[in-house]
């Protein structure tokens, strides 16, 4: 059973397109996250939702918009894709937003913008 | 703000060698500390964690002790295996901060 799943695993698209990445967790967790990992493996938080409410919104272009239809899902929509958006995007979840909670990561979505 | 500094890689060792990956942090309050591992082509997995000073996290032969006086959380393993080859990330999560702050990762390669 996959705890945190993401679709698609790979996404190749042209500059200027709009695309979405979906994330689902079956752990019953209240908090979900999106991270971006660049080509040098550096990981940085983008967004976090707790009980469908946005609690973290780092300095991310407005072209990125998260949506949480329910506690088990957190999707990421990207408008007007740019070359610099190429990265691996990881979804994660934790029981709640407490600092001691372990975050469980999905397998990642490798986005390539041509 | 919070930050994590871990030793630059890559680190290359022979099987059964001793491993240390240094990690130091800057944070306000009392953060929780984590080591995550990323095997090639996969997502991150929690390796171990410690939530208060002097706690020792351990898993799969790896250990790390939360040292508040030196603001460190160094990862150690007494005898590495080829299967330990991966990227290791040190991370912290502050008391009132929901996000994980990661170090830059250390690539470990273990040769037979």
């Amino acid at each position: 059973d996959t705890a945190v799943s993401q679709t698609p695993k790979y996404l190749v698209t042209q500059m200027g397109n709009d695309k979405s990445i979906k994330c689902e967790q079956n752990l019953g967790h209240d908090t979900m996250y999106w991270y971006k990992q660049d080509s040098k493996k550096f990981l940085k938080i983008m967004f976090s939702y707790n009980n469908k409410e946005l609690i973290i919104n780092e300095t991310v272009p407005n072209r990125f918009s998260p949506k949480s239809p329910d506690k088990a899902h957190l999707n990421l929509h990207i408008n007007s894709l740019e070359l610099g958006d190429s990265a691996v995007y990881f979804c994660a979840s934790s029981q709640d937003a407490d600092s001691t909670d372990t975050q469980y990561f999905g397998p990642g979505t490798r986005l390539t913008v041509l | 703000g919070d930050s994590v500094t871990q030793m630059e890689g890559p680190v290359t060792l022979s099987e059964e060698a001793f491993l240390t990956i240094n990690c130091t942090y800057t944070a306000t309050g009392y953060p929780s500390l984590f080591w995550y591992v990323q095997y090639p082509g996969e997502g991150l997995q929690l390796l171990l964690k410690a939530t208060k000073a002097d706690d020792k996290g351990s898993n799969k032969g790896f250990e790390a002790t939360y040292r508040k006086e030196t603001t460190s959380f160094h990862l150690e393993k007494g005898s590495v295996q080829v299967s330990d080859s991966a990227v290791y990330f040190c991370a912290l999560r502050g008391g009132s901060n929901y996000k994980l702050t990661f170090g830059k990762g250390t690539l470990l390669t273990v040769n037979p």
Side-chain angles (χ1 to χ4, degrees), chain A residues 9 33 35 37 40-43 45 55-56 58 90 94 96-107, chain B residues 30-32 34 36 38 41-46 49 51 87 89 93-100 102-104:
Chain A
K9 190 169 171 65
Y33 312 80
Y35 288 86
Q37 186 176 45
K40 296 184 179 178
K41 298 285 191 185
F42 186 60
L43 274 154
I45 184 77
I55 57 172
I56 297 175
E58 292 290 290
F90 287 101
S94 63
D96 59 33
D98 187 86
S99 65
T100 63
D101 278 349
T102 299
Q103 293 185 20
Y104 295 85
F105 283 76
Chain B
Y30 302 97
S32 296
F34 304 82
Y36 279 84
Q38 185 177 27
E42 296 184 14
L44 280 79
Q45 302 174 26
L46 177 70
K49 73 177 187 182
T51 58
V87 181
F89 293 92
R93 197 171 182 198
S96 60
N97 194 339
Y98 302 117
K99 66 180 184 181
L100 270 174
F102 285 92
K104 291 188 176 181

Side-chain angles (χ1 to χ4, degrees), chain B residues 64-106:
Chain B
T65 301
Y66 188 140
R67 301 278 188 209
K68 188 168 181 291
E69 62 277 12
T70 54
T71 61
S72 65
F73 193 54
H74 305 320
L75 182 68
E76 296 182 337
K77 186 174 185 182
S79 176
V80 293
Q81 305 300 312
V82 172
S83 57
D84 293 327
S85 298
V87 181
Y88 292 81
F89 293 92
C90 185
L92 72 80
R93 197 171 182 198
S96 60
N97 194 339
Y98 302 117
K99 66 180 184 181
L100 270 174
T101 298
F102 285 92
K104 291 188 176 181
T106 302

Side-chain angles (χ1 to χ4, degrees), chain B residues 5 8 18 62:
Chain B
T5 303
E8 297 280 331
F18 184 85
F62 290 89

Side-chain angles (χ1 to χ4, degrees), chain A residues 76-95:
Chain A
L76 183 65
H77 188 75
I78 316 170
N79 288 326
S80 303
L81 278 155
E82 300 178 356
L83 294 176
D85 298 332
S86 295
V88 181
Y89 292 84
F90 287 101
C91 177
S93 73
S94 63
Q95 183 60 56

Side-chain angles (χ1 to χ4, degrees), chain A:
Chain A
D1 285 344
T2 304
V4 182
S5 59
Q6 297 177 225
T7 53
K9 190 169 171 65
Y10 299 96
L11 185 52
V12 181
T13 188
Q14 300 286 332
M15 254 191 338
N17 284 349
D18 303 337
K19 291 292 178 185
S20 292
I21 307 171
K22 296 187 175 182
C23 177
E24 176 180 2
Q25 53 93 4
N26 62 6
L27 297 167
H29 288 169
D30 287 344
T31 310
M32 296 184 73
Y33 312 80
W34 277 110
Y35 288 86
K36 179 180 180 181
Q37 186 176 45
D38 64 22
S39 58
K40 296 184 179 178
K41 298 285 191 185
F42 186 60
L43 274 154
K44 190 167 166 50
I45 184 77
M46 299 174 70
F47 301 102
S48 177
Y49 274 72
N50 186 51
N51 279 318
K52 302 196 299 173
E53 184 178 332
L54 183 66
I55 57 172
I56 297 175
N57 186 353
E58 292 290 290
T59 308
V60 175
N62 290 338
R63 299 181 295 102
F64 290 79
S65 53
K67 281 192 172 53
S68 182
D70 54 58
K71 285 198 312 183
H73 296 84
L74 180 61
N75 303 324
L76 183 65
H77 188 75
I78 316 170
N79 288 326
S80 303
L81 278 155
E82 300 178 356
L83 294 176
D85 298 332
S86 295
V88 181
Y89 292 84
F90 287 101
C91 177
S93 73
S94 63
Q95 183 60 56
D96 59 33
D98 187 86
S99 65
T100 63
D101 278 349
T102 299
Q103 293 185 20
Y104 295 85
F105 283 76
T109 296
R110 181 174 293 278
L111 171 65
T112 303
V113 182
L114 304 174

